[in-house]
Amino acid sequence: MTQPIQGFSKFSKEEKINWLIDTYFQGNSEKVEFLKSYWHENSDVQQLHDEFIENTLTNYYLPFGIAPNFRINGKMVAIPMAIEESSVVAAASKAATFWLSRGGFSARVISTIKVGHVHFIWNGEDFRKLEAFVDGLQQRFLDATDHITANMRARGGGILSTRLVDKTEDEPNYYQLEARFDTVDSMGANFINSCLEAFAAVLKEEVHQFEGFSQPSDQELDVVMCILSNFTPECLVRAEVKCKVEDLKDGNVSGDEFARKFQRAINIANAEPYRAATHNKGIMNGIDAVVIATGNDFRAVEACAHSYAARTGRYKSLTQCTVENGEFCFYIEIPMALGVVGGLTSLHPMVKFSLELLGKPSASELMMIIASSGLAQNFGALRALVTTGIQKGHMKMHLLNILNQLGATEEEREHVKSYFEDKVVVHAEVVQYFCSLRGVTQAELHGK
Ligand code: MEV
């Protein structure tokens, strides 16, 4: 059995790699070279990457592409996407081009409020006393965070409000100090958490001084944790596309029929969580790719999107569609907490490039771009699903991936592509055809 390793984080990068390869790859030096081959040739750039996380050994590449032809609020945008899944960039580009001639995307930010909580237990019995205690601390909360909020206030943000929430119906003696924040162009996680910890210190300090607390149990206040919430339903953006129903005509499918089929697909996603999860996953294909390219926290965006999709108690579609008076309207309303300053945004070279490509947007502008990308992705997926089926487009990319795995030459690729032009792409059949084309057995192909 592998022995636990002590002090690994103190090892140099070289030592870490050697330990790993000795321990898990029988000291195979080719594996060392393999990891090193992904190091950046510029040592400054590599050092930057090394320092993003702990125990860095090398880099992990993701393809970076763009989906051009997005017209958002009248402005042409080429959207950067970092994603491993084939067809996502193609679908976004296709949907962007489709809507380009129909007015493009319009988007607006509904609100940008973020939330955090001091979760605490209070053993007193009279809620009104606790209310009076917290009400009396409002100025203390501001004073205690003055040094933390100074820069944010100068940029137009800061703490918007604090309030006491009684959660004792859900958990005995459980209360929250809920705070709302405007973090302007930063995602604001560190800012919010620092403010919350300062609020908690005030609560713990003042609980012993408050004259309104007469019973010993009134002074028993335990802070459980201080943390921002990744559910930010008030940090909300809307993006939409609209056109006359007749302008939706798609090949042999009339505009009316397309709108009917499309709307039914949305209705199904609203009615059926099994479908909603896949439907929303498609939306997140378009969202996460841009979130990653712009150095934002895709786990936070995912967590927020899915909790919002379930806000009514049933998990539903994040996009909706209306057909009224001959007009088709397709829209998304989705909360997302993004930053364009701080974090990776000024450090990661590709993130800086992406933000420059987007014209150095504010966080609100980025919310609108990303919501449009999610909407486009969903439009592309639903359009394919309710007309030709999804596999037609996917299969082309699937075939290319298989050919890459097989190490096909340019000539072989052309042969295989033309052979499968009118056939379903099945991995085993591609390999079989490829082997016959090359004149080798499958065992020979795999070097056995
Ligand atoms: C695949 O990554 C995404 C889709 O499954 C989305 C959908 O079904 O709507 C195509």
Side-chain angles (χ1 to χ4, degrees), residues 2-209:
T2 307
Q3 292 304 308
I5 176 89
Q6 302 289 333
F8 184 72
S9 64
K10 305 271 179 329
F11 286 10
S12 69
K13 190 159 78 169
E14 203 85 31
E15 287 168 336
K16 284 176 185 148
I17 292 180
N18 289 339
W19 176 84
L20 181 86
I21 302 303
D22 285 347
T23 313
Y24 291 98
F25 294 90
Q26 296 83 42
N28 181 347
S29 60
E30 279 177 20
K31 296 284 180 207
V32 174
E33 290 318 308
F34 169 76
L35 287 182
K36 289 186 179 176
S37 70
Y38 281 85
W39 285 0
H40 199 282
E41 59 189 23
N42 178 328
S43 59
D44 290 342
V45 176
Q46 187 52 52
Q47 192 182 343
L48 199 65
H49 285 73
D50 288 350
E51 290 172 4
F52 286 145
I53 61 163
E54 308 75 33
N55 296 345
T56 310
L57 303 182
T58 189
N59 307 308
Y60 179 103
Y61 293 174
L62 272 184
F64 175 92
I66 59 151
N69 291 337
F70 269 85
R71 184 171 162 192
I72 304 174
N73 294 341
K75 192 173 152 196
M76 290 304 293
V77 184
I79 297 189
M81 297 181 131
I83 188 162
E84 86 301 344
E85 185 175 331
S86 55
S87 301
V88 169
V89 177
S93 311
K94 205 168 156 194
T97 307
F98 178 92
W99 285 104
L100 185 61
S101 57
R102 292 164 177 83
F105 294 74
S106 40
R108 71 188 160 89
V109 168
I110 296 169
S111 56
T112 55
I113 297 167
K114 291 164 189 163
V115 192
H117 300 94
V118 179
H119 301 269
F120 66 94
I121 299 295
W122 180 63
N123 287 334
E125 274 166 20
D126 186 349
F127 179 68
R128 283 165 307 172
K129 284 189 197 169
L130 184 64
E131 246 179 345
F133 169 61
V134 173
D135 279 353
L137 291 178
Q138 298 302 318
Q139 191 55 46
R140 278 282 281 124
F141 289 143
L142 296 182
D143 293 344
T145 48
D146 192 66
H147 60 295
I148 306 169
T149 60
N151 281 344
M152 193 63 87
R153 281 184 281 122
R155 288 192 267 132
I159 300 163
L160 300 176
S161 62
T162 50
R163 71 174 183 127
L164 176 68
V165 186
D166 183 349
K167 300 294 286 181
T168 51
E169 277 191 16
D170 300 316
E171 172 74 17
N173 302 91
Y174 168 37
Y175 300 88
Q176 298 171 342
L177 179 70
E178 181 178 86
R180 293 157 84 242
F181 302 87
D182 180 352
T183 59
V184 201
D185 276 336
S186 64
M187 193 217 173
N190 283 330
F191 169 77
I192 293 176
N193 290 335
S194 300
C195 289
L196 294 169
E197 288 186 6
F199 296 157
V202 170
L203 286 174
K204 285 195 276 193
E205 202 179 299
E206 296 292 334
V207 73
H208 300 293
Q209 335 257 346

Side-chain angles (χ1 to χ4, degrees), residues 248-265:
L248 289 169
K249 184 172 160 29
D250 198 5
N252 294 333
V253 185
S254 74
D256 265 336
E257 192 187 349
F258 181 92
R260 213 174 29 254
K261 287 182 162 184
F262 196 91
Q263 194 166 36
R264 199 175 300 136

